Amino acid sequence: MADNNKRYWKSLEEYNNSDSVLESKKNEFKEGVTEEFSPDEMSGISRRKFIALLSASAAFAATACTDYQDKGEIIPYNNRPEGLLPGKANYYASTTDDGSGILVKTREGRPIKIDGNPEHPVNAGKITAVDQARVLNLYDPERLAYPKSGGLKSNWMHIDEKIKTALAKAAEENKEIALVSHPVNSPSLKRLLKEFADKYPGFRHYTYEFIGNKNRLQSFKESYDLDIIPAIKFDQAKVILSVDSDFIGKEANSMEYSRLFAKAKNIVDSKDVCRLYVAEAGMSLTGANADYRIKLRGDARLEFVKALYKELGGTGFGGSTLSGVTEKYGIDENKIKLLVKDLQANKGASIVYAGDTASVDVHNVVNAINDLLGNTTLYNFETGFAPVKYSSKDDLKNLIADMNSGKVEVVINLDSNPAFHLPEDSGFVEAFGKVPESVSLVEAENETSKISKMVVPVNNLLESWGDVYARRSVYSLRQPVIAPLFDTRQKEAALLKWLSEKENFDPNDYKEYMSQTLKTKVYDVISSGLSFENFWYKALHDGFVNINQNSVILPSINKVRVSGQTGNPGGYEIVLSGSYFIGDGRFANNGWLQELPHPVTKVTWDNYAAISPATAKAMNVTHNDLIAIDADGRKLDLPVLVQPGMTEKTVAVELGYGRETIGSVGKKVGFNANRFMTFNSSDEMNYSDVQISKTGKTYEVISSQEHHAIDDEFIKDFHKFRGLIKEGTVEEYKKDPKLIQKQGHKIALFNISGEEHKYEGNKWAMAIDLNKCTGCSVCVASCNVENNIPVVGKDQVEVGREMHWMRIDRYYSGTPEEPEVSTMPVLCQHCDNAPCENVCPVNATQHSPDGLNQMVYNRCVGTRYCANNCPYKVRRFNFYDFRDHFEDSYYANELSNLVYNPEVTVRSRGVMEKCTFCVQKIMEAREEAIKEGRDIGDGEITTACQQACPTDAIIFGDKNIVDAKINKYREHDLSYHMLEETNVRPNVTYLAKLKNTHSEE
Amino acid sequence: MEKSRRNFLTTLGKGAVGAAILSYLPFKIFAGEKNKKRSSIKVKIHPQAVKRTK
């Protein structure tokens, strides 16, 4: 039977029954949430004073009339732009930097939502939270609007002239022209850079990326002499071992891998699901979804994989035995035995996958393990990654040396930020200052543009043309969906202008250039049967072109030598990784992304040093204590976050924070952990033997994990009886498919009004499969954009005023040292017996004929009784007009207003709001159905969260359609409702999560 | 000249009512040219973009 006595907890405070948690559950709102509203604090006022104030305000009002502010006019289009119908959305296919296919929704010319292109072969309609929220960057009020020279406003003519002169001088004096960028995967840009190199012999291209496929690519070169790396067929894997890989979380290609992983976990269609082992130092999203999680220090990865290889029968790498390694690092021996057994029993149907931050040596050994087990059958070279050039550390060191010695005449920073990203001890910043001419092509100011002599503003992604090899067999195209809002050029077009002899700049030049590349690289080698013009339009319409590539026959594996690096279990180590939502810092000025709670820790607006409870105890520190970390002289103070499940003596820190030169939203948010990085280490993301000491100071890190908590003080073993989370194992489910129903409630449910209300027509409902849900939060990001959710800022999140309509509840069970993690998306359940409706004194929340729990914003007077009475705590109150309140009205301006979805009311202060099941999408489908004289069909409506979910864990539909997909989930053996016993009759069904653990445990 | 407080408030009140009425008139007698709303941002669909259905 499922463990019905399992206790769930959201934080260590809750685990220890701390007073603060009990208090927060007892009180509806967090302490401080109702501050500034106490009538007691109002001073008494006399009649004389009242009349005086009235008179003064009347005088002020009259005076104000002389400063009339025009509100503008709403007039119809005199000449309607072609293809634009007011009130109707247009859609455009395009592609992101990494090649994900996107579909951009525009209203009256404004891009307002980015979703995945459903036909795209790689990401199949799903994109990351970052790509969801990046539409806000287009409307960032601190985007660069004009070129700058010497810190002053300039113009393109002046800049063009200066750059061309500098390039000519470099060529004449035989000096170097260095272009620094992130790795380039665009065939047109590669061609352009080659032409640059042909024209200027001193031209050199340098690339860097500390998060990505760099080490994996190098390992395939060393192991197989290949320049490409395969995608992994996770959907065909029976057993997966992740060696510190967050492949469904923050790593590249997480959307495709999440989809494939969810297929392998699809318990609704098959009881034969995969088993996931994760060996990791920190607590990642992938680790949180593991069936077995193995705590493994970052500096022990190599020893571990070498020992595993040996245990599985491999020879050649040497090293200790597996039992020796488990003993040295205190790894759970039982889990290791099960892992070895599973890998041996599933040869050819299992995969070992090392993370982006693992060293090349670790990747090499992992390649050898997969080769040994015959798991290379799960390599997919047909849609493998196209070759990308990464500069080596030596290349970058040479660049810096050349800049110092005066060999470099011009440095072009192509939309990157090496002054922030490259290690401080590299000396890049000092060397950069010595270069005679430097130019940064950036969308907004950054640390590198600040020290550049010239800064030129580039187009946003949505204003640009482009092409990307999404995979070696998928050629993705980017098209501008809006004309540039400012005096900007797309970065490639600027380079093209500097390369060409043409007098005038024509933004169409790069479009022509790109179409030529498409013609030679694709059109001329495939037989489409179309004229090139038609082929071009079709390619832009579809957003991608499939191209045949020669299949790759995997050669026999090379005998690779790996280092004998060993870890030190007695010392502290730092494990670095990128941020889930702001990446390497390039999205730090996006308020939606800063405010999205971390998928595991639920922290917003900060990074921190995550350490295990045992380590915290040993160091005598707790949450928010500032600790000083010294990695061989590279020092930084960081606040502590005590994270259950962390490996002892490991400090996990996310990068991308602590930006100094950026817009107001991202400036000085968090701590710049890039300071730990050095060029003098073979492993950039992992540093052993660091020194840690207490500073005695504190710093407040804000986490939303205890916000909107459900009151459980009145009942002992609340979770057990209430069953917020219901779980079992696959083995138990195979033996007894009704096991979840047996955990159910034994009360008869009845309609509170006595008479069963019949819903004629549509009756909307949602189902969420917790077996597929990974807790990635992409649904929350999508909901934020679709429904005009405001950014409130760290100070407001601190008092529980975040406005997200969806939250992902994350529960732990077990012990703080070895916790299991459960996640549960919670949104308005649109209850049939909605308790919020009964208590609203002005009928502002009521039921629609199709079963929606609706809000009438104009009626709401803000009593907040509804939020008080909601058992799910999913209602959000506007304590301020947050657009105006956040960061001195940062998002209250003409430009930022363009991001709003016109179908969704922008709520004002004093109004309650909550999930609507995307009623605007329902209405749109209904209008179409009425127009065509038919009913709304099953699957016709996709809510924003459903559309974004990379694992298709969310299903929405009309439960009155008998054979609707939603009913398959509602009637499934694993289905249950949250807080069913309250008899509120929720319309969101959850499918209980099953762990695929061994029965002998 | 002495003026009672009542008279002062009455005059002030009438003035306020008058100003309020004026501000509701369809023509804005106090509106200077500098206060006319001029959008600095021109939103324009890119003329070469190829649209499609969802």
Side-chain angles (χ1 to χ4, degrees):
Chain A
M1 273 301 292
D3 184 2
N4 222 9
N5 293 316
K6 209 182 225 181
R7 186 183 171 216
Y8 294 94
W9 39 281
K10 288 202 265 185
S11 64
L12 288 167
E13 285 77 10
E14 185 176 8
Y15 182 79
N16 295 320
N17 284 326
S18 85
D19 291 343
S20 64
V21 171
L22 294 176
E23 192 65 21
S24 74
K25 289 176 177 178
K26 197 166 67 178
N27 293 324
E28 172 64 26
F29 296 105
K30 276 184 73 69
E31 191 183 349
V33 75
T34 52
E35 271 174 15
E36 307 145 37
F37 292 93
S38 171
D40 299 340
E41 289 171 16
M42 291 176 72
S43 59
I45 192 163
S46 68
R47 189 169 63 174
R48 174 184 286 262
K49 201 168 182 182
F50 172 75
I51 291 173
L53 284 171
L54 187 70
S55 308
S57 56
F60 278 126
T63 310
C65 290
T66 62
D67 188 25
Y68 165 74
Q69 293 293 322
D70 190 9
K71 296 278 194 301
E73 289 164 327
I74 300 174
I75 53 163
Y77 285 116
N78 263 352
N79 294 306
R80 182 166 64 87
E82 191 185 334
L84 193 151
L85 195 61
K88 281 280 174 199
N90 281 341
Y91 294 86
Y92 299 88
S94 191
T95 193
T96 61
D97 311 308
D98 70 352
S100 296
I102 54 173
L103 207 54
V104 185
K105 180 182 181 181
T106 70
R107 276 292 303 266
E108 285 78 43
R110 299 179 288 124
I112 57 166
K113 183 84 167 60
I114 305 175
D115 274 301
N117 179 352
E119 287 127 37
H120 198 276
V122 176
N123 58 304
K126 308 298 177 181
I127 52 172
T128 60
V130 173
D131 288 335
Q132 286 279 349
R134 70 187 302 169
V135 67
L136 193 59
N137 286 34
L138 174 68
Y139 305 117
D140 188 334
E142 287 181 327
R143 268 186 71 184
L144 274 171
Y146 48 80
K148 284 177 166 182
S149 177
L152 301 172
K153 187 174 179 177
S154 184
N155 59 62
W156 281 103
M157 195 186 284
H158 174 71
I159 297 282
D160 288 344
E161 199 180 304
K162 270 192 92 172
I163 298 278
K164 283 192 163 192
T165 309
L167 293 175
K169 186 170 178 239
E172 200 178 294
E173 295 177 5
N174 213 13
K175 284 194 169 178
E176 185 175 332
I177 300 163
L179 186 139
V180 184
S181 74
H182 293 297
V184 172
N185 202 7
S186 156
S188 292
L189 181 55
K190 278 184 183 172
R191 184 180 142 213
L192 181 55
L193 296 176
K194 188 176 176 305
E195 287 179 17
F196 235 99
D198 290 344
K199 182 168 180 183
Y200 299 104
F203 178 81
R204 302 281 180 277
H205 181 206
Y206 300 90
T207 64
Y208 74 90
E209 193 88 273
F210 53 67
I211 304 162
N213 274 328
K214 184 171 63 175
N215 291 350
R216 196 171 289 120
L217 188 66
Q218 179 65 24
S219 79
F220 269 83
K221 180 85 185 157
E222 291 180 14
S223 298
Y224 294 106
D225 299 318
L226 288 174
D227 285 326
I228 56 170
I229 46 178
I232 305 295
K233 300 173 191 169
F234 280 109
D235 54 331
Q236 294 176 22
K238 295 289 168 218
V239 176
I240 301 166
L241 167 63
S242 150
V243 182
D244 238 327
S245 167
D246 198 0
F247 65 90
I248 55 172
K250 62 177 73 164
E251 290 189 1
N253 206 36
S254 61
M255 291 296 102
E256 183 188 18
Y257 286 165
S258 292
R259 184 179 79 246
L260 298 178
F261 175 66
K263 269 189 186 174
K265 278 277 185 192
N266 188 0
I267 197 80
V268 172
D269 292 338
S270 166
K271 288 181 181 172
D272 191 16
V273 294
C274 80
R275 179 170 292 136
L276 173 63
Y277 290 85
V278 177
E280 62 178 0
M283 170 66 99
S284 71
L285 189 65
T286 306
N289 281 279
D291 296 302
Y292 290 101
R293 206 175 149 270
I294 298 160
K295 293 198 287 188
L296 179 72
R297 285 174 63 96
D299 59 11
R301 286 175 200 149
L302 184 60
E303 280 176 274
F304 173 72
V305 290
K306 277 162 66 177
L308 181 62
Y309 179 70
K310 191 185 257 186
E311 184 76 21
L312 291 166
T315 54
F317 290 123
S320 309
T321 60
L322 195 54
S323 58
V325 172
T326 53
E327 194 183 329
K328 179 180 175 185
Y329 292 103
I331 300 170
D332 188 330
E333 207 176 344
N334 186 39
K335 288 179 187 172
I336 296 295
K337 279 182 185 163
L338 293 171
L339 166 67
V340 172
K341 193 175 137 193
D342 273 341
L343 288 175
Q344 282 172 330
N346 289 281
K347 287 182 177 174
S350 57
I351 194 77
V352 182
Y353 193 71
D356 286 359
T357 58
S359 66
V360 177
D361 282 343
V362 171
H363 281 284
N364 278 331
V365 180
V366 163
N367 289 346
I369 294 173
N370 284 325
D371 200 81
L372 179 72
L373 296 174
N375 294 342
T376 52
T377 48
L378 268 60
Y379 288 172
N380 184 353
F381 280 105
E382 278 62 47
T383 64
F385 296 83
V388 176
K389 182 199 158 200
Y390 292 89
S391 295
S392 67
K393 267 183 214 165
D394 286 340
D395 290 338
L396 294 170
K397 279 181 186 172
N398 289 340
L399 166 66
I400 293 162
D402 288 349
M403 289 196 295
N404 275 322
S405 63
K407 289 181 185 167
V408 180
E409 178 67 23
V410 186
V411 177
I412 302 170
N413 164 33
L414 189 68
D415 206 11
S416 63
N417 192 4
F420 177 71
H421 290 136
L422 296 186
E424 275 181 14
D425 66 4
S426 70
F428 178 87
V429 174
E430 296 74 27
F432 191 80
K434 294 176 186 169
V435 178
E437 284 297 358
S438 52
V439 58
S440 279
L441 294 92
V442 288
E443 208 175 313
E445 287 274 19
N446 64 24
E447 286 77 356
T448 311
S449 73
K450 191 184 170 191
I451 55 171
S452 298
K453 295 190 169 59
M454 286 172 279
V455 185
V456 297
V458 299
N459 290 359
N460 180 273
L461 177 95
L462 301 175
E463 299 166 328
S464 302
W465 295 100
D467 46 17
V468 184
Y469 274 118
R471 290 297 159 75
R472 52 194 295 268
S473 57
V474 183
Y475 195 103
S476 281
L477 287 109
R478 181 180 309 136
Q479 61 175 333
V481 299
I482 183 172
L485 290 166
F486 302 109
D487 185 16
T488 57
R489 287 180 188 171
Q490 86 167 84
K491 57 191 175 194
E492 297 89 348
L495 289 181
L496 192 61
K497 166 73 179 134
W498 299 338
L499 185 67
S500 82
E501 301 299 328
K502 276 178 72 174
E503 188 81 8
N504 296 320
F505 172 76
D506 182 351
N508 280 328
D509 285 350
Y510 187 68
K511 187 206 112 187
E512 293 301 326
Y513 193 84
M514 189 186 118
S515 72
Q516 280 169 20
T517 315
L518 180 72
K519 186 167 186 307
T520 50
K521 292 256 178 198
V522 183
Y523 179 75
D524 291 346
V525 291
I526 66 170
S527 46
S528 62
L530 298 171
S531 68
F532 180 67
E533 192 184 10
N534 286 345
F535 181 80
W536 167 254
Y537 286 126
K538 184 178 183 308
L540 288 180
H541 172 277
D542 295 347
F544 67 94
V545 182
N546 279 318
I547 42 179
N548 292 325
Q549 289 285 2
N550 299 332
S551 58
V552 173
I553 296 161
L554 194 67
S556 56
I557 194 163
N558 297 328
K559 291 279 177 201
V560 181
R561 287 179 65 85
V562 297
S563 78
Q565 184 205 350
T566 56
N568 171 18
Y572 289 106
E573 64 161 1
I574 314 175
V575 176
L576 302 174
S577 63
S579 155
Y580 277 94
F581 301 129
I582 63 166
D584 59 6
R586 68 185 83 170
F587 292 100
N589 207 46
N590 187 313
W592 270 331
L593 292 173
Q594 286 278 13
E595 202 153 292
L596 205 53
H598 186 285
V600 180
T601 65
K602 300 291 160 192
V603 169
T604 68
W605 291 100
D606 258 313
N607 62 342
Y608 41 80
I611 57 174
S612 76
T615 306
K617 197 174 174 189
M619 289 170 59
N620 192 25
V621 292
T622 186
H623 284 316
N624 300 336
D625 281 345
L626 268 178
I627 52 171
I629 304 176
D630 183 342
D632 203 16
R634 303 179 305 280
K635 297 174 186 174
L636 182 67
D637 291 358
L638 280 166
V640 165
L641 183 107
V642 184
Q643 171 63 50
M646 286 283 302
T647 307
E648 277 69 43
K649 300 212 163 183
T650 293
V651 182
V653 186
E654 291 191 347
L655 303 169
Y657 290 86
R659 296 279 310 270
E660 296 280 346
T661 309
I662 192 170
S664 311
V665 176
K667 196 169 190 172
K668 293 186 177 166
V669 171
F671 302 82
N672 182 4
N674 294 354
R675 282 187 195 151
F676 291 127
M677 299 176 84
T678 174
F679 267 169
N680 302 321
S681 168
S682 58
D683 191 347
E684 291 170 7
M685 307 299 269
N686 193 45
Y687 298 93
S688 300
D689 295 321
V690 298
Q691 305 300 314
I692 300 181
S693 56
K694 277 176 77 172
T695 64
K697 298 177 199 158
T698 59
Y699 174 92
E700 194 84 13
V701 174
I702 303 303
S703 162
S704 65
Q705 70 181 357
E706 288 294 350
H707 295 183
H708 316 296
I710 296 168
D711 185 0
D712 60 356
E713 194 192 15
F714 62 93
I715 182 166
K716 195 171 173 289
D717 296 331
F718 172 83
H719 301 298
K720 183 174 118 186
F721 290 107
R722 284 242 160 145
L724 297 177
I725 290 275
K726 291 190 181 183
E727 288 181 332
T729 67
V730 174
E731 284 295 317
E732 290 168 346
Y733 177 58
K734 282 178 182 170
K735 283 181 200 155
D736 180 7
K738 301 280 181 196
L739 87 157
I740 296 298
Q741 304 304 322
K742 288 176 184 169
Q743 290 179 26
H745 312 286
K746 301 286 181 279
I747 59 168
L749 300 179
F750 59 93
N751 191 302
I752 207 159
S753 61
E755 194 179 317
E756 188 73 24
H757 178 77
K758 289 268 185 288
Y759 286 94
E760 306 293 343
N762 308 118
K763 176 73 173 85
W764 306 113
M766 183 176 275
I768 301 176
D769 185 351
L770 297 178
N771 292 289
K772 287 183 178 174
C773 174
T774 61
C776 65
S777 304
V778 181
C779 51
V780 183
S782 178
C783 173
N784 288 350
V785 184
E786 173 72 24
N787 293 299
N788 301 333
I789 305 292
V791 179
V792 302
K794 182 179 171 181
D795 59 327
Q796 297 296 306
V797 177
E798 186 178 2
V799 290
R801 289 175 181 166
E802 65 271 20
M803 297 302 291
H804 300 163
W805 285 1
M806 279 188 90
R807 68 174 193 268
I808 312 290
D809 278 347
R810 189 266 299 114
Y811 295 96
Y812 297 118
S813 53
T815 64
E817 286 72 35
E818 294 284 350
E820 286 180 16
V821 186
S822 313
T823 52
M824 186 176 204
V826 183
L827 62 162
C828 176
Q829 311 277 306
H830 293 268
C831 314
D832 286 349
N833 287 341
C836 53
E837 293 171 11
N838 303 338
V839 293
C840 180
V842 292
N843 209 20
T845 181
Q846 32 96 327
H847 231 63
S848 76
D850 49 356
L852 296 180
N853 174 243
Q854 297 176 319
M855 271 304 299
V856 186
Y857 299 125
N858 284 340
R859 283 187 202 158
C860 181
V861 293
T863 61
R864 291 178 280 141
Y865 294 165
C866 53
N868 206 339
N869 219 31
C870 171
Y872 303 100
K873 301 300 159 209
V874 289
R875 290 180 157 260
R876 303 285 175 266
F877 183 68
N878 287 277
F879 282 89
Y880 291 101
D881 176 358
F882 284 111
R883 283 152 193 85
D884 192 37
H885 189 263
F886 172 71
E887 274 293 337
D888 297 329
S889 310
Y890 189 83
Y891 288 127
N893 59 73
E894 200 182 357
L895 180 65
S896 301
N897 286 347
L898 298 176
V899 80
Y900 293 141
N901 181 356
E903 301 296 337
V904 180
T905 308
V906 175
R907 286 78 62 187
S908 54
R909 181 178 177 171
V911 171
M912 187 61 75
E913 60 182 69
K914 49 135 218 129
C915 162
T916 63
F917 269 174
C918 286
V919 66
Q920 67 279 7
K921 291 185 168 224
I922 296 173
M923 293 309 292
E924 188 185 356
R926 181 168 289 148
E927 281 167 20
E928 284 299 312
I930 290 170
K931 200 165 70 185
E932 293 167 17
R934 59 174 176 81
D935 293 332
I936 302 172
D938 185 34
E940 208 173 317
I941 299 163
T942 312
T943 60
C945 52
Q946 178 188 12
Q947 193 164 11
C949 179
T951 60
D952 285 327
I954 302 175
I955 297 98
F956 179 78
D958 180 356
K959 72 177 183 184
N960 279 354
I961 299 176
V962 178
D963 56 352
K965 192 177 177 187
I966 183 78
N967 286 328
K968 182 180 170 188
Y969 283 78
R970 287 176 65 85
E971 290 153 15
H972 196 273
D973 284 336
L974 294 173
S975 68
Y976 73 99
H977 291 120
M978 189 185 182
L979 297 179
E980 197 172 12
E981 73 281 15
T982 55
N983 200 27
V984 296
R985 295 193 156 204
N987 277 302
V988 177
T989 306
Y990 292 93
L991 255 61
K993 183 160 190 157
L994 302 180
K995 289 253 179 193
N996 190 11
T997 48
H998 283 271
S999 54
E1000 62 262 37
E1001 262 200 306
Chain B
M1 192 176 116
E2 263 195 38
K3 200 169 186 180
S4 72
R5 189 167 58 179
R6 177 184 289 267
N7 277 347
F8 168 72
L9 289 173
T10 309
T11 312
L12 196 64
K14 281 177 182 169
V17 170
I21 292 167
L22 275 177
S23 72
Y24 276 97
L25 289 175
F27 51 90
K28 306 298 176 193
I29 54 173
F30 295 116
E33 223 10 70
K34 67 181 172 64
N35 286 331
K36 288 274 169 63
K37 189 174 175 116
R38 294 272 183 274
S39 177
S40 57
I41 299 160
K42 299 283 176 223
V43 175
K44 198 176 145 202
I45 297 175
H46 199 284
Q48 286 151 331
V50 179
K51 72 168 183 166
R52 54 174 277 172
T53 52
K54 213 182 324 178

